[in-house]
Amino acid sequence: MALVVICGQPCSGKSTAALCLAEALKESDSNSTIRIIDEASFHLDRNQSYANMTAEKNLRGVLRSEVDRSVSKDSIIIVDSLNSIKGYRYELWCLARAAGIRYSVLFCDVKETQCKKWNEQRREKCEATYDDPIFEDLARRFERPDRRNRWDSPLFELSPYKDNIQKSSASIVDAVSYLTKRVDSKTRDVKILHPTIATQSTRFSEANSLYELDRATQEVTNVIVEAQSQSIGVPLNGIPLGQGLPTLNMSRSVGLPELRRLRRTFIKLTGQTSLSGPPPPSDAESAKRMFVDYLNRELGTT
């Protein structure tokens, strides 16, 4: 149903925001499954995960893969992590688009100095914190979300330092409304992403199937042309096409232009059927069998 990306500096209140949002969603009228995906879900230490670029890249890969597996029409996934790199937010946006669901960003807007102070307070309480060098590096590389970017929109902004994060916070209320609002053809304030050809893996497999279909039907056409050329125009009955394939029976000679027309029509009909049903056959044997059956019906014999 939706993917929510929590974004902010280290120690800016992101996890609190994620929990409040999840609780507010559960209390709403939404029947969707609510799930938070974060580093703690995989028992990852934050300092080890951001110790160097390789470790950070691996962390993003783990989270992205889990998001990819989890997004669906029936769930709201909340990604509770730094999500500080705009290129990474774009990758998450692409996952939402491929799934055909809603997308939004919830930004915890806190100044670096205050985040650093909160990090130190957590250390005094023996809570999980960032080491100072790692904190400074992450804060320096943070890329603030911009609502003008499609992967940062819609953008809901929280101010944890000015106002305590609660389920009743205005931005959380607005986010819940956006994520759970029923949509119809007249709805304009809620955007559901739609997959493109580039993001639909099923289309890729269908393209391979159509390639096999084209190749297989051309091979059958070549066999028919060759058999008719050897029979010198005499109608053929029982043209063998190979082991396991039906026999092609023709009550009359068929010219190459007509064979090409029948072949084009068969491919077109098969392609149209795949849009509303199963994809075209992906192996040559099945494609040949279907094409021969079609020719037998069109040429008047079975």
Side-chain angles (χ1 to χ4, degrees):
M1 183 176 181
L3 174 63
V4 183
V5 175
I6 307 293
C7 177
Q9 294 270 18
C11 290
S12 59
K14 297 183 299 299
S15 295
T16 302
L19 289 172
C20 287
L21 177 60
E23 291 177 4
L25 286 168
K26 291 176 182 177
E27 294 176 1
S28 69
D29 294 332
S30 174
N31 294 321
S32 301
T33 301
I34 314 299
R35 184 188 173 197
I36 297 176
I37 295 178
D38 57 8
E39 290 95 336
S41 304
F42 303 95
H43 308 287
L44 299 174
D45 179 81
R46 61 181 61 187
N47 287 304
Q48 292 179 358
S49 298
Y50 293 101
N52 51 62
M53 296 305 296
T54 300
E56 185 176 340
K57 183 178 179 180
N58 291 338
L59 170 63
R60 291 198 298 268
V62 169
L63 295 176
R64 182 175 57 247
S65 296
E66 188 63 23
V67 171
D68 192 17
R69 287 190 292 267
S70 302
V71 289
S72 70
K73 303 283 187 180
D74 303 317
S75 63
I76 298 178
I77 303 301
I78 302 172
V79 188
D80 175 20
S81 186
L82 292 177
N83 299 316
S84 57
I85 300 175
K86 60 183 179 181
Y88 182 60
R89 295 197 295 271
Y90 172 73
E91 292 179 10
L92 296 175
W93 178 84
C94 287
L95 295 180
R97 181 177 63 175
I101 59 177
R102 306 178 201 194
Y103 173 91
S104 66
V105 174
L106 182 59
F107 173 43
C108 293
D109 187 7
V110 183
K111 292 183 178 180
E112 179 183 341
T113 52
Q114 183 60 44
C115 292
K116 188 173 184 178
K117 182 178 180 180
W118 283 345
N119 189 52
E120 293 172 352
Q121 290 176 351
R122 293 181 184 180
R123 184 178 296 129
E124 293 173 356
K125 297 177 182 178
C126 296
E127 298 177 354
T129 61
Y130 293 93
D131 293 341
D132 290 340
I134 292 178
F135 177 93
E136 293 173 2
D137 177 62
L138 293 173
R140 177 180 56 83
R141 293 190 289 112
F142 179 76
E143 295 177 331
R144 186 185 181 93
D146 185 343
R147 66 179 71 253
R148 292 173 297 180
N149 297 327
R150 55 190 174 181
W151 54 87
D152 290 334
S153 177
L155 180 64
F156 301 99
E157 298 186 49
L158 286 167
S159 299
Y161 177 62
K162 299 178 182 178
D163 306 300
N164 292 329
I165 303 175
Q166 298 176 349
K167 292 182 292 184
S168 58
S169 297
S171 294
I172 289 182
V173 171
D174 291 343
V176 171
S177 175
Y178 180 84
L179 296 169
T180 60
K181 184 175 182 178
R182 295 183 181 276
V183 297
D184 53 34
S185 59
K186 297 181 180 179
T187 305
R188 294 291 180 268
D189 57 344
V190 175
K191 183 177 182 180
I192 297 179
L193 302 179
H194 297 287
T196 63
I197 293 176
T199 60
Q200 287 181 296
S201 59
T202 55
R203 291 293 180 212
F204 179 77
S205 62
E206 287 181 15
N208 288 343
S209 298
L210 290 174
Y211 168 77
E212 291 294 339
L213 187 66
D214 182 85
R215 187 165 65 92
T217 53
Q218 184 60 58
E219 290 178 3
V220 171
T221 301
N222 292 340
V223 171
I224 297 172
V225 171
E226 178 65 23
Q228 290 190 134
S229 66
Q230 293 180 3
S231 67
I232 316 177
V234 178
L236 291 173
N237 287 315
I239 299 178
L241 294 169
Q243 185 176 3
L245 296 176
T247 300
L248 177 61
N249 298 307
M250 301 195 313
S251 59
R252 59 183 175 84
S253 297
V254 183
L256 183 57
E258 185 177 4
L259 281 174
R260 287 175 175 170
R261 178 182 61 80
L262 290 168
R263 177 172 172 267
R264 287 195 301 268
T265 302
F266 173 76
I267 292 175
K268 182 178 180 179
L269 291 172
T270 305
Q272 289 175 343
T273 302
S274 72
L275 294 177
S276 58
S282 58
D283 62 281
E285 299 298 312
S286 297
K288 289 179 181 178
R289 187 177 300 107
M290 290 174 61
F291 185 42
V292 172
D293 290 341
Y294 170 78
L295 290 176
N296 281 331
R297 290 194 303 271
E298 292 297 314
L299 296 176
T301 63
T302 58

